[in-house]
Amino acid sequence: VSGNVSNVKIDSFLVNGQDRYDVHGIGTIAARNSGKIVNCVVSNSNIAGPTSNSCGGICGINDGIIQNCTAQNVTAKTSGYSNGEASAGGITGRNRGSIISCSAENINTAGWKAGGITGFNESNGQCVMCEATGIIKVNVEAYSGSYEGAIAGYNEGTISSCSTTSGLKLAGSGSGIVA
């Protein structure tokens, strides 16, 4: 998506990505977002991808803005190590843009970097006023250096004014800012 997507509701959807080695995203609304996704809801859905893919309830890779979106009862799973590229999150697998006022409820994620909102919040990524509630089940691949968190599995960017009721740390690890 390079334009705008708004007010989309998706329920009971299955996305099963193909095996690719060029780090593509897999998501319910978009594989990759460089535009703006606003006021969208994905519920009761399953997003799965193989090695080197980033999987998310809303989109696989976010380079744009995701705002006021919700993922409910979503499973996002990617497998394989592949230099740490496999990441999964309730909203997006990898975040290089802005995630603002989004929520994830009853999320099940699995990957090398896995989180309730995003698996990997990169250095220029920001998660602002997001929340992860209900049961947030995060499973990381059994490799050294795997990361899990309620908001971000691994954070190099900024997490600000976010909250969780899941009992997990907001960010699993990383050098980014958690405020």
Side-chain angles (χ1 to χ4, degrees):
V1 173
S2 60
N4 296 328
V5 175
S6 61
N7 302 312
V8 173
K9 293 184 180 180
I10 296 174
D11 185 51
S12 301
F13 201 71
L14 171 65
V15 180
N16 196 358
Q18 299 297 310
D19 196 6
R20 307 260 328 209
Y21 293 98
D22 45 3
V23 193
H24 281 170
I26 300 168
T28 305
I29 292 177
R32 183 180 212 130
N33 174 45
S34 58
K36 191 171 185 180
I37 300 174
V38 182
N39 298 326
C40 294
V41 177
V42 173
S43 57
N44 306 309
S45 296
N46 191 334
I47 301 90
T51 303
S52 294
N53 285 276
S54 294
C55 298
I58 301 293
C59 72
I61 299 171
N62 180 45
D63 293 311
I65 297 170
I66 301 174
Q67 187 171 5
N68 296 325
C69 292
T70 301
Q72 298 171 318
N73 304 314
V74 167
T75 297
K77 295 183 177 184
T78 185
S79 62
Y81 176 71
S82 184
N83 298 320
E85 299 298 336
S87 56
I91 299 294
T92 186
R94 294 173 75 95
N95 181 43
R96 301 173 184 152
S98 298
I99 303 173
I100 304 164
S101 299
C102 291
S103 64
E105 180 182 355
N106 299 328
I107 303 297
N108 183 2
T109 59
W112 189 67
K113 297 171 183 163
I117 298 291
T118 183
F120 185 13
N121 192 41
E122 294 192 30
S123 60
N124 50 348
Q126 61 176 347
C127 295
V128 180
M129 296 181 296
C130 295
E131 66 177 351
T133 61
I135 298 169
I136 307 296
K137 185 175 179 183
V138 180
N139 297 304
V140 293
E141 293 290 328
Y143 299 104
S144 174
S146 298
Y147 306 98
E148 62 184 16
I151 300 297
Y154 193 84
N155 179 44
E156 290 180 349
T158 301
I159 296 173
S160 176
S161 301
C162 294
S163 62
T164 182
T165 60
S166 70
L168 292 172
K169 296 186 298 184
L170 290 180
S173 190
S175 58
I177 298 167
V178 179

